Amino acid sequence: MKRVFSGIQPSGELHLGNLLGALINWERLQDDHDAVYCVVDLHALTLPQAPEVLRQNTINLAQLLMAVGIDPERSILFVQSHVPQHPQLAWLMECTVSYGELSRMTAFKDKSNRDSTKFVSAGLFTYPALQAADILLYDTDVVPVGDDQRQHIEITRDIAERFNSRFGDTFVVPEHRIPPAGARVMDLQHPDRKMSKSEGESPGTIWVLEDEKKIEKKFKRAVTDSDGEVRFDIESKPGVSNLLSILGAATGKSPEALAESYTQYGPLKGDTAEAVIELLRPIQARFAELQADPAETERLLKMGADKAEAIAADVLARAKNNIGLLG
Ligand code: AQP
């Protein structure tokens, strides 16, 4: 069976982009893959986090992943900082990637330019090396991610190929799996920028735990355009195309085909809101049940970390041996 690995940061609440771009795919892939899923808390440290908030976000996110359908008995679900091989392999990765390659990462450019007065950590610059370590530690074949992660998976492949060619066959070179619809969910108020956790509260972000009335209101106010034609055209109609993509991802239909069923923006907004509410309802109910027992969540995460470490320790030992470190 092929192995799938992916991670998500506990850097804020889960939004619709995370769900449609990544988590729905994670859930499906469990059926025919050996799945390893990780709450990447070390990545969240690249931006400032209040310790208590980070702790709570980590537990909440693990519970949300289970509420979406990630089954910790069937898949490996764990927290990154519980498995010490991640930062250990990251150093080997940092020494295999160049400053120039890291400088070209658009996520770094975007985040470091967001506010010039803010502290820009070295971790924000080097985190693609940690992400490469996360993926390569599990001999991963497939990485299900949203479109924003395409560049990071490419750099992971480059690092793996370079390491293999310098030190002999060590890592499996992984491929990304980006969903056909919902791969890049945009902010409803700013359809030129992606929905993002670290942007914080925004009228253009739909939260997975948000109540129905607020979701309806946000879709009703979604920015469209003035030409009045329902057409899937990301370049010239980003707002309308975003609604069609969301509706397509939530219902399993293609955005192009859906466009033909609408002549006005109002019904498109209403149906998209309804489809999203239907999708979120069971997730919200299951999350409420899981929240009642955080100790059980912590037990399941420890079990996941033990299983993850058993794989990661072997791969790290292989990499250390091949690069010439003493065993
Ligand atoms: N808008 C999105 N549309 C589709 N997929 C998305 N993902 C994130 N945003 C969208 C996918 O969700 C997974 C987890 O990524 P993350 O933890 O980096 O989430 P985030 O919302 O991107 O988090 P941050 O902290 O706010 O980071 P930035 O500032 O980079 O957006 C990934 O598979 C991602 O592709």
Side-chain angles (χ1 to χ4, degrees), residues 113-187:
N113 283 335
R114 254 179 219 167
D115 181 349
S116 58
T117 61
K118 279 222 179 110
F119 176 79
V120 177
S121 71
L124 189 61
F125 184 67
T126 59
Y127 90 85
L130 177 59
Q131 186 171 353
D134 301 336
I135 296 167
L136 300 179
L137 269 176
Y138 297 94
D139 286 338
T140 302
D141 299 294
V142 179
V143 191
V145 283
D147 189 56
D148 59 319
Q149 289 295 327
R150 194 184 286 270
Q151 205 184 20
H152 288 153
I153 309 305
E154 282 307 319
I155 204 173
T156 298
R157 288 170 57 85
D158 292 345
I159 292 172
E161 280 166 358
R162 185 172 303 144
F163 196 102
N164 288 348
S165 90
R166 283 185 185 165
F167 307 113
D169 211 14
T170 309
F171 297 119
V172 173
V173 181
E175 288 183 2
H176 56 55
R177 178 84 53 89
I178 294 173
R184 187 174 280 268
V185 176
M186 310 308 276
D187 186 292

Side-chain angles (χ1 to χ4, degrees), residues 90-104:
W91 181 250
L92 273 57
M93 303 291 93
E94 280 187 49
C95 297
T96 310
V97 70
S98 72
Y99 176 83
E101 284 171 312
L102 291 176
S103 307
R104 287 194 286 278

Side-chain angles (χ1 to χ4, degrees), residues 152-267:
H152 288 153
I153 309 305
E154 282 307 319
I155 204 173
T156 298
R157 288 170 57 85
D158 292 345
I159 292 172
E161 280 166 358
R162 185 172 303 144
F163 196 102
N164 288 348
S165 90
R166 283 185 185 165
F167 307 113
D169 211 14
T170 309
F171 297 119
V172 173
V173 181
E175 288 183 2
H176 56 55
R177 178 84 53 89
I178 294 173
R184 187 174 280 268
V185 176
M186 310 308 276
D187 186 292
L188 299 182
Q189 288 300 315
H190 303 277
D192 55 332
R193 73 176 188 223
K194 73 168 190 130
M195 235 179 237
S196 165
K197 283 194 230 97
S198 49
E199 284 296 321
E201 188 48 52
S202 147
T205 303
I206 302 289
W207 305 107
V208 169
L209 295 177
E210 193 151 25
D211 80 57
E212 297 184 10
K213 289 276 165 272
K214 281 195 184 156
I215 295 177
E216 271 171 12
K217 201 183 269 178
K218 284 182 176 177
F219 275 107
K220 207 172 263 177
R221 293 184 181 162
V223 166
T224 49
D225 51 54
S226 54
D227 83 7
E229 187 193 350
V230 179
R231 185 159 45 85
F232 187 69
D233 178 347
I234 293 174
E235 284 298 308
S236 53
K237 298 178 72 67
V240 173
S241 301
N242 191 33
L243 292 171
L244 288 165
S245 291
I246 293 172
L247 182 58
T251 57
K253 295 181 183 152
S254 92
E256 289 87 353
L258 284 166
E260 291 176 11
S261 333
Y262 294 93
T263 51
Q264 288 177 307
Y265 295 163

